[in-house]
């Protein structure tokens, strides 16, 4: 006898969609590009205000994409699967390596509320007064503020691409009134863009934000549907500690069974159960050392 997988009907297709004129336009003039990036950011701002969007999970997944982009800027071959392994499969006493450190910096950047104190913990190689000076360097519209910060950091420390992009996203978040860093710039920029300065860098950042914001909105809608489904099946989980485990899946890009607040065998069974229910996915395709995520 076989049993059909239970179906759960979740209607979360209520998030406002980004207008087609933002996503399909291919402007050349600076004013048009700046207008569209502003429209895209405004739309993302509305989406982030929706209760059904799992904001911590969205930030964590965007941190993975930012980490992947920055690792690529440095010429390293690691991509998202390797970055996940570098962090989530670490053993006590192990070091995550250069690529893992880059990803870890982004994860820490999105975890805490935006402040000089928090950013000092994320970027310990820089003094808090220097970070404050950089963040205060930008003024004007949000994107302009972010670009000024990015330009200032890269001018003083040309090889500090990761700190520069984190601080630029922090400046953007502050200007938009967001409590946390939302990684946007890194995923939309090219390596050659980081060598630009002034108006050329500003144009590159506006273009980057159009593409990365569009992707962030799409991802927010996808995660809203997936987390709604996970919440719907959660009451059917009987394992002790299942509620805390579900909370972890609702806030983290990836989770290793060993990180769940259950005994090893129970954790693996819970993950298999959630996969069966269509609430989480196995992310590695491996038979061992598996990772799971919404």
């Amino acid at each position: 006898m076989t049993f059909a997988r239970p179906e759960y009907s979740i209607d979360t297709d209520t998030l406002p969609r980004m207008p087609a004129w933002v996503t399909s336009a291919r402007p050349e003039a600076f004013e048009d590009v700046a207008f569209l990036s502003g429209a895209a950011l405004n739309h993302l701002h509305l989406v982030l205000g929706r209760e059904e969007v799992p904001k911590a999970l969205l930030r964590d997944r965007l941190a993975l994409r930012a980490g992947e982009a920055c690792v690529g800027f440095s010429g390293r071959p690691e991509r998202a699967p390797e970055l996940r392994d570098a962090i989530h499969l670490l053993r006590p006493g192990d070091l995550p390596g250069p690529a893992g450190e880059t990803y870890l910096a982004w994860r820490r950047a999105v975890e805490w509320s935006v402040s000089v104190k928090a950013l000092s913990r994320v970027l310990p190689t820089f003094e808090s007064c220097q970070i404050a000076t950089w963040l205060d360097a930008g003024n004007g519209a949000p994107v302009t503020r972010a670009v000024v910060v990015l330009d200032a950091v890269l001018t003083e420390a040309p090889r500090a691409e990761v700190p520069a992009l984190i601080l630029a996203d922090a400046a953007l978040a502050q200007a938009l009134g967001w409590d946390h860093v939302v990684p946007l710039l890194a995923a939309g920029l090219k390596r050659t863009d980081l060598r630009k300065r002034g108006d050329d860098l500003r144009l590159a950042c506006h273009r980057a934000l159009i593409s990365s914001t569009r992707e962030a909105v799409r991802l927010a809608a996808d995660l809203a549907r997936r987390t709604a489904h996970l919440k719907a099946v959660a009451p059917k989980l009987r394992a002790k500690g299942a509620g805390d485990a579900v909370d972890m899946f609702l806030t983290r890009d990836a989770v290793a069974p060993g990180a769940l607040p259950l005994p090893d065998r129970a954790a693996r069974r819970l993950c298999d159960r959630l996969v069966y229910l269509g609430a989480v996915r196995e992310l590695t395709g491996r038979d061992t050392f598996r990772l799971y995520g919404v």
Side-chain angles (χ1 to χ4, degrees):
M1 177 180 290
T2 59
F3 296 91
R5 176 182 296 179
E7 297 293 337
Y8 297 87
S9 178
I10 306 296
D11 181 14
T12 59
D13 193 20
T14 60
L15 294 181
R17 298 184 179 182
M18 189 172 290
W21 54 265
V22 175
T23 59
S24 61
R26 296 292 183 269
E28 295 297 333
F30 178 87
E31 293 80 3
D32 294 333
V33 176
F35 174 78
L36 290 177
S37 73
L41 283 169
N42 180 68
H43 187 84
L44 177 60
H45 182 77
L46 295 176
V47 168
L48 292 176
R50 299 294 289 263
E51 184 177 352
E52 61 266 43
V53 174
K55 299 172 187 61
L57 175 56
L58 175 64
R59 294 194 303 269
D60 204 36
R61 193 148 291 176
L62 290 174
L64 175 64
R65 297 186 178 188
E68 185 178 37
C70 289
V71 168
F73 294 155
S74 68
R76 298 188 63 88
E78 292 92 342
R79 293 298 178 260
E82 291 80 17
L83 295 183
R84 282 178 171 140
D85 285 354
I87 297 303
H88 297 291
L89 300 182
L90 271 183
R91 296 178 179 178
D94 287 350
L95 297 176
E101 287 287 0
T102 294
Y103 176 32
L104 192 58
W106 279 106
R107 292 196 75 212
R108 289 170 175 163
V110 303
E111 182 179 357
W112 297 310
S113 297
V114 179
S115 69
V116 171
K117 182 178 180 180
L119 290 167
S120 298
R121 287 183 289 179
V122 175
L123 307 171
T125 58
F126 294 100
E127 298 290 338
S128 59
C129 58
Q130 179 63 79
I131 290 174
T133 299
W134 279 328
L135 288 178
D136 289 341
N139 52 54
V143 180
T144 299
R145 289 176 61 176
V147 173
V148 169
V149 172
L150 181 61
D151 199 337
V153 178
L154 290 176
T155 297
E156 292 189 42
R159 301 184 65 180
E161 294 168 338
V162 174
L165 288 163
I166 288 175
L167 291 173
D169 274 330
L172 185 67
Q174 286 183 324
L176 292 167
W178 296 345
D179 293 334
H180 292 76
V181 170
V182 179
L184 293 173
L185 283 166
L189 289 169
K190 299 180 178 65
R191 186 178 184 179
T192 54
D193 291 331
L194 297 177
R195 293 195 285 269
K196 297 175 180 177
R197 294 293 179 268
D199 288 342
D200 290 338
L201 180 61
R202 186 174 291 107
L203 179 60
C205 287
H206 278 298
R207 291 190 185 281
L209 288 169
I210 294 172
S211 63
S212 62
T213 301
R214 178 176 62 230
E215 178 58 23
V217 169
R218 185 205 64 77
L219 182 59
D222 181 58
L223 291 178
R225 287 190 294 270
R226 292 179 180 275
T227 54
H229 181 62
L230 175 56
K231 291 176 181 178
V233 305
K236 296 185 175 293
L237 304 173
R238 303 304 181 194
K240 185 178 180 180
D244 292 335
V246 168
D247 288 341
M248 292 176 67
F249 283 113
L250 290 172
T251 57
R252 302 187 186 185
D253 163 69
V255 179
L260 296 175
L262 293 89
D264 287 346
R265 184 174 296 179
R268 291 194 296 270
R269 283 201 302 265
L270 176 65
C271 291
D272 290 341
R273 175 69 172 161
L274 288 171
V275 170
Y276 171 75
L277 293 172
V280 303
R281 298 170 293 160
E282 201 288 308
L283 301 172
T284 68
R286 298 187 295 248
D287 293 331
T288 58
F289 301 106
R290 290 180 162 186
L291 298 174
Y292 298 84
V294 172

